[in-house]
């Protein structure tokens, strides 16, 4: 049950940070709605990928130091 809460929280955090990142880009470059959605999806995927890579390296580091 606790793992489920962590997954939901992480997804919500990723969505919010990707929207924030897209709003930040939009404040410098005017975006149409389609580009806004596209950039938010891309940033969501990139942030999710970076999070998975980070967990992978942390797990490897912990396995090597047991």
């Amino acid at each position: 049950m606790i793992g489920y809460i962590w997954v939901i929280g992480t997804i919500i955090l990723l969505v919010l940070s990707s929207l924030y990142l897209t709003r930040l880009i939009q404040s410098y470059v005017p975006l149409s709605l389609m580009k806004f959605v596209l950039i938010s999806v891309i940033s969501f995927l990139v942030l999710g990928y970076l999070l998975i890579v980070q967990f992978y390296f942390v797990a490897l580091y912990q396995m090597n130091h047991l």
Side-chain angles (χ1 to χ4, degrees), residues 26-38:
Q26 193 182 27
S27 67
Y28 293 109
V29 180
L31 299 173
S32 64
L33 182 63
M34 197 64 196
K35 283 184 182 175
F36 183 83
V37 170
L38 189 68

Side-chain angles (χ1 to χ4, degrees), residues 34-51:
M34 197 64 196
K35 283 184 182 175
F36 183 83
V37 170
L38 189 68
I39 290 178
S40 12
V41 168
I42 290 172
S43 60
F44 174 76
L45 293 174
V46 167
L47 289 169
Y49 175 75
L50 289 175
L51 195 69

